[in-house]
Amino acid sequence: MINFVNIINIMNIGVPHIVQYQGSKRILAPQILNFLPHRFNRLIEPFAGMAAITIAVAKQKRTQSFIINDINSPLINVLRSAIETPNELIEKYSVLWNMQFVYPQGSVEHYYKIREDFNNGDQSAENMLYLLARCVKGAVRYGSNGLFNQSPDKRRNGTSPITLRKNVIEISSILKGKALFYSKDYQEILNMATCGDIVYLDPPYQGVCSTRDNRYFSGIKYDDFVCAIDKLNQRNIDFVISYDGKCGDKTYGNDLPRDLNLKKVLLRAGLSSQSLLLGKKETTFESLYISRGLSQNVIVPPQQQQTFDFLQT
């Protein structure tokens, strides 16, 4: 029997993060971790982003081995540097962050200068980190030409080096020497999984894109993704998938096929900020699909059942 952590004990874990990142599962991490074993061999994130689930799992010491992958290689450079050489990254970031206050044309133009340098080939970890920290909503955006085109947030100056240092040092302390970093197609990463691993997948949502997501250099096809999940089932690899969801009466994307034998759970992600702007109060739910091997061992205490909406498969 897989030993699962009691839901009540982990609902309030604090998950450190490097910078704000749109689409991060940091807030949902305590809910997602409810469906992972207390101990397992290795965690694999094929669509890591800023690796919120990896960080949460590492903080809980559920495993000592991780594979962190994202097709966006500059993001992987940031994660690798933050985890393996944190002091060097913090120092370089601090120089960039402080420079915006003395840049002759102002902080906004300084951002555009760093973005231009990045698009011209200087895709260093510190440049990527500064753009993430300073851009609108921490949202990575690329144009059709593959160039980073997100604008700066003119209301703030980005994460301060003091705050960054605290978070990065904590993340490094729980992950240094324990992770392998890749920037490959997700199917190559899935082929690395073996029995005893847990794979957490957070692919570009159908509700955002079909074949291309401008957070990435390329999107994924639904049929290819379904086939990849079916192969995990055939190999008896356990996994959890964050995929689409709903807000109010609106549902995003198609469900994953029932013949994959997954358990679908709706996680409460809070009130929709877009709906609030329109004077509505609508709750956003994100779908979580759980492999058969994991879902058979999930027990939700009665006092926590309002957090989860189980849909039978």
Side-chain angles (χ1 to χ4, degrees), residues 159-180:
T159 307
S160 76
I162 295 174
T163 300
L164 183 84
R165 177 179 293 277
K166 176 180 178 296
N167 290 336
V168 167
I169 292 300
E170 181 179 359
I171 291 168
S172 178
S173 71
I174 58 177
L175 277 166
K176 188 173 184 178
K178 301 175 184 177
L180 297 176

Side-chain angles (χ1 to χ4, degrees), residues 116-184:
E116 181 181 9
D117 291 345
F118 181 87
N119 286 331
N120 284 335
D122 185 0
Q123 298 189 350
S124 61
E126 62 269 20
N127 278 356
M128 179 80 262
L129 180 56
Y130 177 74
L131 293 175
L132 283 173
R134 190 74 170 78
C135 71
V136 174
K137 296 181 180 179
V140 175
R141 295 290 182 267
Y142 293 90
S144 58
N145 56 4
L147 299 180
F148 190 97
N149 65 359
Q150 183 61 293
S151 302
D153 188 335
K154 298 178 181 179
R155 300 169 301 173
R156 60 189 185 88
N157 296 313
T159 307
S160 76
I162 295 174
T163 300
L164 183 84
R165 177 179 293 277
K166 176 180 178 296
N167 290 336
V168 167
I169 292 300
E170 181 179 359
I171 291 168
S172 178
S173 71
I174 58 177
L175 277 166
K176 188 173 184 178
K178 301 175 184 177
L180 297 176
F181 303 89
Y182 297 95
S183 185
K184 297 178 179 290

